[in-house]
Amino acid sequence: MANKHIDEATGTETVGHEWDGIEELNTPLPRWWLWTFYLTIVFAIGYVIAFPAWPMVDKATEGVLGWTSRSQLAKEIDVADQARESVREALARTPIERLPEDSPLMQQAVAGGGAAFRVNCVQCHGSGAAGNAELGYPNLNDDDWLWGGDLKAIEYTLTHGIRQAGDDETRTSQMPTFAGAFDGAQLDALVDHVLSLSGKGRSNPVGAQIYADNCVACHGTNGEGSREVGAPRLNDAIWLRGSSREAIKRQILNPRMGVMPKWEGRLDPVTIKMLAAYVHSLGGGEDFVEVAENPEVEVDEQP
C-alpha cells in the first residue's frame, strides 16, 4: 500500500507496482460489466441445475428438466420421417408420367432420386452420370436412349433391368456376331458406310449394300435405330462403345452386350420412381407421349 499513489494526469490511484517506470492505474470496472458478470454466474448455476452439465462415470447429471440432446434429436428425426413419409405417400399415388404436373413433388422426387443414385448407381455410371465408354456404361446426361427417355420408360428400365435372367419383362436386345461373315475388304467397306451415317466418313457402295443386307432390319435405313428391339442409333455423334474404326470393327465382329441389374425387389417402387425422376432431370429426359395418340412420334436412343 505504501507504493500506491495518485496519478497526476488522471487523478486515479495506482495498483502499487511499477516496471521500468510504467505504473498501472487501479481503474474500477464499469458497473454494467460487473452486473453482467454476476448475471452470468447466476445463469451458470441455473443451467447446471436445469440441464445435464457435470460429467459422471457413465453419464452426465440429468438436470431437473429431464432434457437431453438425444431426445431432441429423436424428436427432430421423427418430424423429418413424418414429412418424408407424406412425400413418399404422394409419390406412390401419383403416376410417374404425371409428376411434372406437380412441380414441388417433382423436385422432392429428384432430390430423393439423387440420393438413391449416389448410393446405387455411381459405381457404373459415375458421380456425374457421365458413364464409361471403355466399360460400356452409358452417359445419362445426353439425349440418346435405347428404349426411351421419358419418365415411364426410364422407370420400366430401372424396374426390370437389362438382360436379367428370370425376368420376362427385362429389356433385351441382341446383335449377332459377324466374325467370319466378311473378308477384310468387306468389313472395311461396311465400317466406311457406318461412319458415313453420322458424317464421319464417305459412303461406300459396297458397304451400303452389306449394311442393307445385314443391318437395316434393326438399325434402320439411315441408321436411326429402333426402340422396339433396342437397336442403337448410328447416325448421330454419340457412341457407347466408341466411334473409331477399330471400335466399330470390334463391335461388328464380337458384339459386347451390356447388362444392368433390375432394381425391383432391391429398391421399393417409390425409390425407383424417384431414381427415374432424377435420371430424367439430368438433361436428356424426354416428354411423355401417349403412343396410341401419336403413333408416328420419332424416337431417339440411348446406346
Side-chain angles (χ1 to χ4, degrees):
M1 297 294 293
N3 294 331
K4 292 184 180 181
H5 68 277
I6 304 299
D7 178 63
E8 294 180 1
T10 62
T12 304
E13 185 180 40
T14 66
V15 296
H17 54 76
E18 174 264 338
W19 178 261
D20 199 18
I22 300 174
E23 294 183 275
E24 183 181 357
L25 299 179
N26 190 17
T27 305
L29 292 169
R31 291 274 181 166
W32 68 264
W33 192 97
L34 282 172
W35 281 111
T36 302
F37 178 66
Y38 296 148
L39 286 173
T40 60
I41 294 175
V42 173
F43 174 82
I45 294 172
Y47 186 93
V48 168
I49 295 172
F51 295 97
W54 292 98
M56 310 295 283
V57 176
D58 58 350
K59 62 178 182 178
T61 53
E62 294 183 357
V64 297
L65 297 181
W67 178 92
T68 65
S69 58
R70 289 179 182 273
S71 63
Q72 180 175 339
L73 176 62
K75 291 178 182 178
E76 292 175 356
I77 291 176
D78 221 23
V79 171
D81 284 343
Q82 291 176 13
R84 184 164 52 248
E85 192 57 35
S86 66
V87 171
R88 291 179 65 86
E89 289 175 358
L91 284 169
R93 292 192 305 266
T94 306
I96 192 166
E97 63 272 18
R98 303 301 176 198
L99 272 182
E101 299 171 7
D102 188 337
S103 182
L105 188 59
M106 182 65 173
Q107 291 174 2
Q108 293 275 9
V110 170
F117 185 90
R118 288 186 287 274
V119 173
N120 299 283
C121 310
V122 297
Q123 297 86 345
C124 295
H125 293 285
S127 58
N132 186 317
E134 292 183 6
L135 299 177
Y137 301 136
N139 183 352
L140 303 178
N141 299 294
D142 59 37
D143 57 359
D144 267 18
W145 302 89
L146 265 184
W147 286 284
D150 62 68
L151 284 164
K152 198 168 185 177
I154 296 172
E155 181 188 37
Y156 185 98
T157 302
L158 288 168
T159 300
H160 298 287
I162 300 171
R163 301 181 183 87
Q164 290 298 293
D167 190 329
D168 295 335
E169 298 181 79
T170 190
R171 300 287 200 191
T172 301
S173 64
Q174 183 66 43
M175 178 174 170
T177 176
F178 288 96
F182 313 124
D183 59 31
Q186 289 174 321
L187 181 60
D188 284 333
L190 177 57
V191 171
D192 287 340
H193 181 70
V194 170
L195 287 171
S196 74
L197 293 173
S198 58
K200 292 182 176 293
R202 293 182 179 179
S203 180
N204 184 308
V206 175
Q209 186 59 51
I210 296 173
Y211 180 88
D213 294 339
N214 298 275
C215 312
V216 165
C218 294
H219 293 288
T221 304
N222 300 310
E224 63 273 18
S226 171
R227 288 185 174 178
E228 291 184 4
V229 295
R233 186 172 181 173
L234 303 178
N235 60 4
D236 60 15
I238 300 175
W239 299 78
L240 178 58
R241 301 289 183 175
S243 60
S244 67
R245 295 187 66 87
E246 292 72 21
I248 296 171
K249 284 183 180 180
R250 180 180 178 185
Q251 193 65 8
I252 292 172
L253 298 176
N254 187 23
R256 291 162 290 171
M257 311 302 292
V259 297
M260 188 187 86
K262 71 170 190 173
W263 293 102
E264 184 180 44
R266 303 186 185 198
L267 300 176
D268 61 84
V270 171
T271 301
I272 292 175
K273 187 177 290 187
M274 291 191 294
L275 259 177
Y278 175 74
V279 172
H280 185 272
S281 74
L282 292 174
E286 303 170 340
D287 292 334
F288 176 75
V289 178
E290 292 286 357
V291 177
E293 298 176 3
N294 300 277
E296 298 180 358
V297 172
E298 182 180 352
V299 295
D300 210 343
E301 55 85 27
Q302 170 67 59

mmCIF file with all atom_site columns, all heavy atoms in Angstrom, residues 32-52:
data_model
loop_
_atom_site.group_PDB
_atom_site.id
_atom_site.type_symbol
_atom_site.label_atom_id
_atom_site.label_alt_id
_atom_site.label_comp_id
_atom_site.label_asym_id
_atom_site.label_entity_id
_atom_site.label_seq_id
_atom_site.pdbx_PDB_ins_code
_atom_site.Cartn_x
_atom_site.Cartn_y
_atom_site.Cartn_z
_atom_site.occupancy
_atom_site.B_iso_or_equiv
_atom_site.pdbx_formal_charge
_atom_site.auth_seq_id
_atom_site.auth_comp_id
_atom_site.auth_asym_id
_atom_site.auth_atom_id
_atom_site.pdbx_PDB_model_num
ATOM 1   N N   . TRP A 1 32 ? -21.978 -1.765  -15.257 1.00 0.00 ? 32 TRP A N   1
ATOM 2   C CA  . TRP A 1 32 ? -22.727 -2.646  -16.159 1.00 0.00 ? 32 TRP A CA  1
ATOM 3   C C   . TRP A 1 32 ? -21.979 -3.950  -16.388 1.00 0.00 ? 32 TRP A C   1
ATOM 4   O O   . TRP A 1 32 ? -22.585 -5.016  -16.495 1.00 0.00 ? 32 TRP A O   1
ATOM 5   C CB  . TRP A 1 32 ? -23.011 -1.937  -17.478 1.00 0.00 ? 32 TRP A CB  1
ATOM 6   C CG  . TRP A 1 32 ? -21.785 -1.665  -18.331 1.00 0.00 ? 32 TRP A CG  1
ATOM 7   C CD1 . TRP A 1 32 ? -21.067 -0.519  -18.379 1.00 0.00 ? 32 TRP A CD1 1
ATOM 8   C CD2 . TRP A 1 32 ? -21.165 -2.578  -19.235 1.00 0.00 ? 32 TRP A CD2 1
ATOM 9   N NE1 . TRP A 1 32 ? -20.016 -0.628  -19.242 1.00 0.00 ? 32 TRP A NE1 1
ATOM 10  C CE2 . TRP A 1 32 ? -20.057 -1.901  -19.796 1.00 0.00 ? 32 TRP A CE2 1
ATOM 11  C CE3 . TRP A 1 32 ? -21.426 -3.888  -19.622 1.00 0.00 ? 32 TRP A CE3 1
ATOM 12  C CZ2 . TRP A 1 32 ? -19.202 -2.494  -20.728 1.00 0.00 ? 32 TRP A CZ2 1
ATOM 13  C CZ3 . TRP A 1 32 ? -20.581 -4.486  -20.546 1.00 0.00 ? 32 TRP A CZ3 1
ATOM 14  C CH2 . TRP A 1 32 ? -19.477 -3.795  -21.092 1.00 0.00 ? 32 TRP A CH2 1
ATOM 15  N N   . TRP A 1 33 ? -20.624 -3.856  -16.440 1.00 0.00 ? 33 TRP A N   1
ATOM 16  C CA  . TRP A 1 33 ? -19.832 -5.067  -16.679 1.00 0.00 ? 33 TRP A CA  1
ATOM 17  C C   . TRP A 1 33 ? -19.911 -5.989  -15.468 1.00 0.00 ? 33 TRP A C   1
ATOM 18  O O   . TRP A 1 33 ? -20.058 -7.211  -15.609 1.00 0.00 ? 33 TRP A O   1
ATOM 19  C CB  . TRP A 1 33 ? -18.381 -4.668  -16.958 1.00 0.00 ? 33 TRP A CB  1
ATOM 20  C CG  . TRP A 1 33 ? -17.543 -5.800  -17.494 1.00 0.00 ? 33 TRP A CG  1
ATOM 21  C CD1 . TRP A 1 33 ? -17.246 -6.061  -18.777 1.00 0.00 ? 33 TRP A CD1 1
ATOM 22  C CD2 . TRP A 1 33 ? -16.905 -6.811  -16.705 1.00 0.00 ? 33 TRP A CD2 1
ATOM 23  N NE1 . TRP A 1 33 ? -16.474 -7.176  -18.875 1.00 0.00 ? 33 TRP A NE1 1
ATOM 24  C CE2 . TRP A 1 33 ? -16.234 -7.677  -17.599 1.00 0.00 ? 33 TRP A CE2 1
ATOM 25  C CE3 . TRP A 1 33 ? -16.818 -7.093  -15.339 1.00 0.00 ? 33 TRP A CE3 1
ATOM 26  C CZ2 . TRP A 1 33 ? -15.496 -8.787  -17.187 1.00 0.00 ? 33 TRP A CZ2 1
ATOM 27  C CZ3 . TRP A 1 33 ? -16.086 -8.194  -14.919 1.00 0.00 ? 33 TRP A CZ3 1
ATOM 28  C CH2 . TRP A 1 33 ? -15.441 -9.034  -15.837 1.00 0.00 ? 33 TRP A CH2 1
ATOM 29  N N   . LEU A 1 34 ? -19.824 -5.387  -14.276 1.00 0.00 ? 34 LEU A N   1
ATOM 30  C CA  . LEU A 1 34 ? -19.898 -6.196  -13.057 1.00 0.00 ? 34 LEU A CA  1
ATOM 31  C C   . LEU A 1 34 ? -21.243 -6.900  -12.943 1.00 0.00 ? 34 LEU A C   1
ATOM 32  O O   . LEU A 1 34 ? -21.307 -8.095  -12.633 1.00 0.00 ? 34 LEU A O   1
ATOM 33  C CB  . LEU A 1 34 ? -19.671 -5.303  -11.827 1.00 0.00 ? 34 LEU A CB  1
ATOM 34  C CG  . LEU A 1 34 ? -18.210 -4.916  -11.533 1.00 0.00 ? 34 LEU A CG  1
ATOM 35  C CD1 . LEU A 1 34 ? -18.154 -3.883  -10.409 1.00 0.00 ? 34 LEU A CD1 1
ATOM 36  C CD2 . LEU A 1 34 ? -17.405 -6.151  -11.155 1.00 0.00 ? 34 LEU A CD2 1
ATOM 37  N N   . TRP A 1 35 ? -22.333 -6.156  -13.204 1.00 0.00 ? 35 TRP A N   1
ATOM 38  C CA  . TRP A 1 35 ? -23.653 -6.773  -13.100 1.00 0.00 ? 35 TRP A CA  1
ATOM 39  C C   . TRP A 1 35 ? -23.836 -7.874  -14.149 1.00 0.00 ? 35 TRP A C   1
ATOM 40  O O   . TRP A 1 35 ? -24.451 -8.914  -13.889 1.00 0.00 ? 35 TRP A O   1
ATOM 41  C CB  . TRP A 1 35 ? -24.749 -5.712  -13.255 1.00 0.00 ? 35 TRP A CB  1
ATOM 42  C CG  . TRP A 1 35 ? -24.966 -4.930  -11.997 1.00 0.00 ? 35 TRP A CG  1
ATOM 43  C CD1 . TRP A 1 35 ? -24.671 -3.620  -11.765 1.00 0.00 ? 35 TRP A CD1 1
ATOM 44  C CD2 . TRP A 1 35 ? -25.511 -5.444  -10.792 1.00 0.00 ? 35 TRP A CD2 1
ATOM 45  N NE1 . TRP A 1 35 ? -24.990 -3.253  -10.488 1.00 0.00 ? 35 TRP A NE1 1
ATOM 46  C CE2 . TRP A 1 35 ? -25.521 -4.371  -9.837  1.00 0.00 ? 35 TRP A CE2 1
ATOM 47  C CE3 . TRP A 1 35 ? -25.990 -6.693  -10.373 1.00 0.00 ? 35 TRP A CE3 1
ATOM 48  C CZ2 . TRP A 1 35 ? -25.994 -4.502  -8.548  1.00 0.00 ? 35 TRP A CZ2 1
ATOM 49  C CZ3 . TRP A 1 35 ? -26.453 -6.819  -9.081  1.00 0.00 ? 35 TRP A CZ3 1
ATOM 50  C CH2 . TRP A 1 35 ? -26.454 -5.747  -8.182  1.00 0.00 ? 35 TRP A CH2 1
ATOM 51  N N   . THR A 1 36 ? -23.291 -7.659  -15.345 1.00 0.00 ? 36 THR A N   1
ATOM 52  C CA  . THR A 1 36 ? -23.350 -8.707  -16.376 1.00 0.00 ? 36 THR A CA  1
ATOM 53  C C   . THR A 1 36 ? -22.596 -9.949  -15.919 1.00 0.00 ? 36 THR A C   1
ATOM 54  O O   . THR A 1 36 ? -23.059 -11.084 -16.113 1.00 0.00 ? 36 THR A O   1
ATOM 55  C CB  . THR A 1 36 ? -22.754 -8.181  -17.701 1.00 0.00 ? 36 THR A CB  1
ATOM 56  O OG1 . THR A 1 36 ? -23.466 -7.016  -18.121 1.00 0.00 ? 36 THR A OG1 1
ATOM 57  C CG2 . THR A 1 36 ? -22.819 -9.256  -18.785 1.00 0.00 ? 36 THR A CG2 1
ATOM 58  N N   . PHE A 1 37 ? -21.450 -9.747  -15.312 1.00 0.00 ? 37 PHE A N   1
ATOM 59  C CA  . PHE A 1 37 ? -20.653 -10.876 -14.818 1.00 0.00 ? 37 PHE A CA  1
ATOM 60  C C   . PHE A 1 37 ? -21.414 -11.640 -13.729 1.00 0.00 ? 37 PHE A C   1
ATOM 61  O O   . PHE A 1 37 ? -21.451 -12.875 -13.731 1.00 0.00 ? 37 PHE A O   1
ATOM 62  C CB  . PHE A 1 37 ? -19.323 -10.355 -14.278 1.00 0.00 ? 37 PHE A CB  1
ATOM 63  C CG  . PHE A 1 37 ? -18.440 -11.423 -13.704 1.00 0.00 ? 37 PHE A CG  1
ATOM 64  C CD1 . PHE A 1 37 ? -17.894 -12.411 -14.523 1.00 0.00 ? 37 PHE A CD1 1
ATOM 65  C CD2 . PHE A 1 37 ? -18.171 -11.457 -12.346 1.00 0.00 ? 37 PHE A CD2 1
ATOM 66  C CE1 . PHE A 1 37 ? -17.085 -13.395 -13.982 1.00 0.00 ? 37 PHE A CE1 1
ATOM 67  C CE2 . PHE A 1 37 ? -17.370 -12.446 -11.806 1.00 0.00 ? 37 PHE A CE2 1
ATOM 68  C CZ  . PHE A 1 37 ? -16.822 -13.421 -12.627 1.00 0.00 ? 37 PHE A CZ  1
ATOM 69  N N   . TYR A 1 38 ? -22.044 -10.894 -12.842 1.00 0.00 ? 38 TYR A N   1
ATOM 70  C CA  . TYR A 1 38 ? -22.820 -11.550 -11.781 1.00 0.00 ? 38 TYR A CA  1
ATOM 71  C C   . TYR A 1 38 ? -23.987 -12.343 -12.366 1.00 0.00 ? 38 TYR A C   1
ATOM 72  O O   . TYR A 1 38 ? -24.306 -13.447 -11.897 1.00 0.00 ? 38 TYR A O   1
ATOM 73  C CB  . TYR A 1 38 ? -23.342 -10.505 -10.787 1.00 0.00 ? 38 TYR A CB  1
ATOM 74  C CG  . TYR A 1 38 ? -22.251 -9.788  -10.033 1.00 0.00 ? 38 TYR A CG  1
ATOM 75  C CD1 . TYR A 1 38 ? -22.407 -8.447  -9.627  1.00 0.00 ? 38 TYR A CD1 1
ATOM 76  C CD2 . TYR A 1 38 ? -21.059 -10.438 -9.714  1.00 0.00 ? 38 TYR A CD2 1
ATOM 77  C CE1 . TYR A 1 38 ? -21.407 -7.779  -8.941  1.00 0.00 ? 38 TYR A CE1 1
ATOM 78  C CE2 . TYR A 1 38 ? -20.053 -9.759  -9.015  1.00 0.00 ? 38 TYR A CE2 1
ATOM 79  C CZ  . TYR A 1 38 ? -20.236 -8.443  -8.637  1.00 0.00 ? 38 TYR A CZ  1
ATOM 80  O OH  . TYR A 1 38 ? -19.247 -7.807  -7.963  1.00 0.00 ? 38 TYR A OH  1
ATOM 81  N N   . LEU A 1 39 ? -24.635 -11.770 -13.404 1.00 0.00 ? 39 LEU A N   1
ATOM 82  C CA  . LEU A 1 39 ? -25.753 -12.463 -14.040 1.00 0.00 ? 39 LEU A CA  1
ATOM 83  C C   . LEU A 1 39 ? -25.303 -13.758 -14.722 1.00 0.00 ? 39 LEU A C   1
ATOM 84  O O   . LEU A 1 39 ? -26.020 -14.757 -14.706 1.00 0.00 ? 39 LEU A O   1
ATOM 85  C CB  . LEU A 1 39 ? -26.428 -11.551 -15.067 1.00 0.00 ? 39 LEU A CB  1
ATOM 86  C CG  . LEU A 1 39 ? -27.287 -10.421 -14.487 1.00 0.00 ? 39 LEU A CG  1
ATOM 87  C CD1 . LEU A 1 39 ? -27.768 -9.486  -15.582 1.00 0.00 ? 39 LEU A CD1 1
ATOM 88  C CD2 . LEU A 1 39 ? -28.488 -11.005 -13.731 1.00 0.00 ? 39 LEU A CD2 1
ATOM 89  N N   . THR A 1 40 ? -24.111 -13.740 -15.334 1.00 0.00 ? 40 THR A N   1
ATOM 90  C CA  . THR A 1 40 ? -23.609 -14.980 -15.950 1.00 0.00 ? 40 THR A CA  1
ATOM 91  C C   . THR A 1 40 ? -23.363 -16.057 -14.897 1.00 0.00 ? 40 THR A C   1
ATOM 92  O O   . THR A 1 40 ? -23.570 -17.247 -15.162 1.00 0.00 ? 40 THR A O   1
ATOM 93  C CB  . THR A 1 40 ? -22.315 -14.726 -16.735 1.00 0.00 ? 40 THR A CB  1
ATOM 94  O OG1 . THR A 1 40 ? -21.303 -14.224 -15.859 1.00 0.00 ? 40 THR A OG1 1
ATOM 95  C CG2 . THR A 1 40 ? -22.551 -13.734 -17.873 1.00 0.00 ? 40 THR A CG2 1
ATOM 96  N N   . ILE A 1 41 ? -22.942 -15.645 -13.719 1.00 0.00 ? 41 ILE A N   1
ATOM 97  C CA  . ILE A 1 41 ? -22.747 -16.621 -12.638 1.00 0.00 ? 41 ILE A CA  1
ATOM 98  C C   . ILE A 1 41 ? -24.086 -17.238 -12.239 1.00 0.00 ? 41 ILE A C   1
ATOM 99  O O   . ILE A 1 41 ? -24.216 -18.456 -12.080 1.00 0.00 ? 41 ILE A O   1
ATOM 100 C CB  . ILE A 1 41 ? -22.068 -15.952 -11.429 1.00 0.00 ? 41 ILE A CB  1
ATOM 101 C CG1 . ILE A 1 41 ? -20.641 -15.513 -11.794 1.00 0.00 ? 41 ILE A CG1 1
ATOM 102 C CG2 . ILE A 1 41 ? -22.036 -16.909 -10.231 1.00 0.00 ? 41 ILE A CG2 1
ATOM 103 C CD1 . ILE A 1 41 ? -19.945 -14.730 -10.708 1.00 0.00 ? 41 ILE A CD1 1
ATOM 104 N N   . VAL A 1 42 ? -25.103 -16.371 -12.091 1.00 0.00 ? 42 VAL A N   1
ATOM 105 C CA  . VAL A 1 42 ? -26.434 -16.865 -11.734 1.00 0.00 ? 42 VAL A CA  1
ATOM 106 C C   . VAL A 1 42 ? -26.971 -17.795 -12.826 1.00 0.00 ? 42 VAL A C   1
ATOM 107 O O   . VAL A 1 42 ? -27.537 -18.858 -12.543 1.00 0.00 ? 42 VAL A O   1
ATOM 108 C CB  . VAL A 1 42 ? -27.396 -15.675 -11.509 1.00 0.00 ? 42 VAL A CB  1
ATOM 109 C CG1 . VAL A 1 42 ? -28.824 -16.173 -11.296 1.00 0.00 ? 42 VAL A CG1 1
ATOM 110 C CG2 . VAL A 1 42 ? -26.939 -14.840 -10.315 1.00 0.00 ? 42 VAL A CG2 1
ATOM 111 N N   . PHE A 1 43 ? -26.766 -17.386 -14.092 1.00 0.00 ? 43 PHE A N   1
ATOM 112 C CA  . PHE A 1 43 ? -27.232 -18.215 -15.210 1.00 0.00 ? 43 PHE A CA  1
ATOM 113 C C   . PHE A 1 43 ? -26.537 -19.575 -15.210 1.00 0.00 ? 43 PHE A C   1
ATOM 114 O O   . PHE A 1 43 ? -27.173 -20.613 -15.438 1.00 0.00 ? 43 PHE A O   1
ATOM 115 C CB  . PHE A 1 43 ? -26.961 -17.496 -16.535 1.00 0.00 ? 43 PHE A CB  1
ATOM 116 C CG  . PHE A 1 43 ? -27.280 -18.330 -17.737 1.00 0.00 ? 43 PHE A CG  1
ATOM 117 C CD1 . PHE A 1 43 ? -28.588 -18.426 -18.203 1.00 0.00 ? 43 PHE A CD1 1
ATOM 118 C CD2 . PHE A 1 43 ? -26.289 -19.040 -18.405 1.00 0.00 ? 43 PHE A CD2 1
ATOM 119 C CE1 . PHE A 1 43 ? -28.897 -19.204 -19.306 1.00 0.00 ? 43 PHE A CE1 1
ATOM 120 C CE2 . PHE A 1 43 ? -26.592 -19.829 -19.504 1.00 0.00 ? 43 PHE A CE2 1
ATOM 121 C CZ  . PHE A 1 43 ? -27.893 -19.905 -19.958 1.00 0.00 ? 43 PHE A CZ  1
ATOM 122 N N   . ALA A 1 44 ? -25.235 -19.584 -14.944 1.00 0.00 ? 44 ALA A N   1
ATOM 123 C CA  . ALA A 1 44 ? -24.478 -20.834 -14.939 1.00 0.00 ? 44 ALA A CA  1
ATOM 124 C C   . ALA A 1 44 ? -25.001 -21.781 -13.858 1.00 0.00 ? 44 ALA A C   1
ATOM 125 O O   . ALA A 1 44 ? -25.140 -22.987 -14.078 1.00 0.00 ? 44 ALA A O   1
ATOM 126 C CB  . ALA A 1 44 ? -22.999 -20.555 -14.738 1.00 0.00 ? 44 ALA A CB  1
ATOM 127 N N   . ILE A 1 45 ? -25.299 -21.222 -12.695 1.00 0.00 ? 45 ILE A N   1
ATOM 128 C CA  . ILE A 1 45 ? -25.826 -22.056 -11.611 1.00 0.00 ? 45 ILE A CA  1
ATOM 129 C C   . ILE A 1 45 ? -27.184 -22.637 -12.007 1.00 0.00 ? 45 ILE A C   1
ATOM 130 O O   . ILE A 1 45 ? -27.459 -23.824 -11.823 1.00 0.00 ? 45 ILE A O   1
ATOM 131 C CB  . ILE A 1 45 ? -25.944 -21.231 -10.310 1.00 0.00 ? 45 ILE A CB  1
ATOM 132 C CG1 . ILE A 1 45 ? -24.546 -20.832 -9.817  1.00 0.00 ? 45 ILE A CG1 1
ATOM 133 C CG2 . ILE A 1 45 ? -26.682 -22.024 -9.234  1.00 0.00 ? 45 ILE A CG2 1
ATOM 134 C CD1 . ILE A 1 45 ? -24.563 -19.850 -8.643  1.00 0.00 ? 45 ILE A CD1 1
ATOM 135 N N   . GLY A 1 46 ? -28.054 -21.786 -12.595 1.00 0.00 ? 46 GLY A N   1
ATOM 136 C CA  . GLY A 1 46 ? -29.358 -22.260 -13.031 1.00 0.00 ? 46 GLY A CA  1
ATOM 137 C C   . GLY A 1 46 ? -29.242 -23.320 -14.119 1.00 0.00 ? 46 GLY A C   1
ATOM 138 O O   . GLY A 1 46 ? -29.991 -24.299 -14.122 1.00 0.00 ? 46 GLY A O   1
ATOM 139 N N   . TYR A 1 47 ? -28.300 -23.130 -15.046 1.00 0.00 ? 47 TYR A N   1
ATOM 140 C CA  . TYR A 1 47 ? -28.116 -24.094 -16.140 1.00 0.00 ? 47 TYR A CA  1
ATOM 141 C C   . TYR A 1 47 ? -27.677 -25.446 -15.589 1.00 0.00 ? 47 TYR A C   1
ATOM 142 O O   . TYR A 1 47 ? -28.183 -26.486 -16.024 1.00 0.00 ? 47 TYR A O   1
ATOM 143 C CB  . TYR A 1 47 ? -27.064 -23.560 -17.115 1.00 0.00 ? 47 TYR A CB  1
ATOM 144 C CG  . TYR A 1 47 ? -26.905 -24.414 -18.354 1.00 0.00 ? 47 TYR A CG  1
ATOM 145 C CD1 . TYR A 1 47 ? -27.608 -24.136 -19.509 1.00 0.00 ? 47 TYR A CD1 1
ATOM 146 C CD2 . TYR A 1 47 ? -26.045 -25.514 -18.347 1.00 0.00 ? 47 TYR A CD2 1
ATOM 147 C CE1 . TYR A 1 47 ? -27.477 -24.918 -20.641 1.00 0.00 ? 47 TYR A CE1 1
ATOM 148 C CE2 . TYR A 1 47 ? -25.906 -26.319 -19.470 1.00 0.00 ? 47 TYR A CE2 1
ATOM 149 C CZ  . TYR A 1 47 ? -26.612 -26.011 -20.609 1.00 0.00 ? 47 TYR A CZ  1
ATOM 150 O OH  . TYR A 1 47 ? -26.476 -26.799 -21.714 1.00 0.00 ? 47 TYR A OH  1
ATOM 151 N N   . VAL A 1 48 ? -26.749 -25.435 -14.660 1.00 0.00 ? 48 VAL A N   1
ATOM 152 C CA  . VAL A 1 48 ? -26.259 -26.691 -14.075 1.00 0.00 ? 48 VAL A CA  1
ATOM 153 C C   . VAL A 1 48 ? -27.387 -27.442 -13.376 1.00 0.00 ? 48 VAL A C   1
ATOM 154 O O   . VAL A 1 48 ? -27.445 -28.679 -13.405 1.00 0.00 ? 48 VAL A O   1
ATOM 155 C CB  . VAL A 1 48 ? -25.098 -26.402 -13.098 1.00 0.00 ? 48 VAL A CB  1
ATOM 156 C CG1 . VAL A 1 48 ? -24.774 -27.638 -12.268 1.00 0.00 ? 48 VAL A CG1 1
ATOM 157 C CG2 . VAL A 1 48 ? -23.877 -25.939 -13.854 1.00 0.00 ? 48 VAL A CG2 1
ATOM 158 N N   . ILE A 1 49 ? -28.301 -26.700 -12.758 1.00 0.00 ? 49 ILE A N   1
ATOM 159 C CA  . ILE A 1 49 ? -29.423 -27.338 -12.065 1.00 0.00 ? 49 ILE A CA  1
ATOM 160 C C   . ILE A 1 49 ? -30.456 -27.869 -13.068 1.00 0.00 ? 49 ILE A C   1
ATOM 161 O O   . ILE A 1 49 ? -30.986 -28.970 -12.910 1.00 0.00 ? 49 ILE A O   1
ATOM 162 C CB  . ILE A 1 49 ? -30.092 -26.334 -11.098 1.00 0.00 ? 49 ILE A CB  1
ATOM 163 C CG1 . ILE A 1 49 ? -29.110 -25.957 -9.978  1.00 0.00 ? 49 ILE A CG1 1
ATOM 164 C CG2 . ILE A 1 49 ? -31.375 -26.918 -10.514 1.00 0.00 ? 49 ILE A CG2 1
ATOM 165 C CD1 . ILE A 1 49 ? -29.604 -24.844 -9.095  1.00 0.00 ? 49 ILE A CD1 1
ATOM 166 N N   . ALA A 1 50 ? -30.717 -27.107 -14.142 1.00 0.00 ? 50 ALA A N   1
ATOM 167 C CA  . ALA A 1 50 ? -31.808 -27.451 -15.064 1.00 0.00 ? 50 ALA A CA  1
ATOM 168 C C   . ALA A 1 50 ? -31.413 -28.464 -16.125 1.00 0.00 ? 50 ALA A C   1
ATOM 169 O O   . ALA A 1 50 ? -32.231 -29.305 -16.526 1.00 0.00 ? 50 ALA A O   1
ATOM 170 C CB  . ALA A 1 50 ? -32.334 -26.176 -15.731 1.00 0.00 ? 50 ALA A CB  1
ATOM 171 N N   . PHE A 1 51 ? -30.168 -28.405 -16.610 1.00 0.00 ? 51 PHE A N   1
ATOM 172 C CA  . PHE A 1 51 ? -29.760 -29.223 -17.750 1.00 0.00 ? 51 PHE A CA  1
ATOM 173 C C   . PHE A 1 51 ? -28.599 -30.147 -17.383 1.00 0.00 ? 51 PHE A C   1
ATOM 174 O O   . PHE A 1 51 ? -27.900 -29.914 -16.388 1.00 0.00 ? 51 PHE A O   1
ATOM 175 C CB  . PHE A 1 51 ? -29.334 -28.326 -18.920 1.00 0.00 ? 51 PHE A CB  1
ATOM 176 C CG  . PHE A 1 51 ? -30.442 -27.504 -19.486 1.00 0.00 ? 51 PHE A CG  1
ATOM 177 C CD1 . PHE A 1 51 ? -30.620 -26.185 -19.089 1.00 0.00 ? 51 PHE A CD1 1
ATOM 178 C CD2 . PHE A 1 51 ? -31.316 -28.031 -20.418 1.00 0.00 ? 51 PHE A CD2 1
ATOM 179 C CE1 . PHE A 1 51 ? -31.645 -25.414 -19.607 1.00 0.00 ? 51 PHE A CE1 1
ATOM 180 C CE2 . PHE A 1 51 ? -32.337 -27.273 -20.949 1.00 0.00 ? 51 PHE A CE2 1
ATOM 181 C CZ  . PHE A 1 51 ? -32.513 -25.962 -20.547 1.00 0.00 ? 51 PHE A CZ  1
ATOM 182 N N   . PRO A 1 52 ? -28.378 -31.198 -18.206 1.00 0.00 ? 52 PRO A N   1
ATOM 183 C CA  . PRO A 1 52 ? -27.201 -32.048 -17.991 1.00 0.00 ? 52 PRO A CA  1
ATOM 184 C C   . PRO A 1 52 ? -25.936 -31.202 -18.090 1.00 0.00 ? 52 PRO A C   1
ATOM 185 O O   . PRO A 1 52 ? -25.781 -30.426 -19.032 1.00 0.00 ? 52 PRO A O   1
ATOM 186 C CB  . PRO A 1 52 ? -27.282 -33.060 -19.141 1.00 0.00 ? 52 PRO A CB  1
ATOM 187 C CG  . PRO A 1 52 ? -28.708 -33.046 -19.575 1.00 0.00 ? 52 PRO A CG  1
ATOM 188 C CD  . PRO A 1 52 ? -29.200 -31.658 -19.332 1.00 0.00 ? 52 PRO A CD  1
#
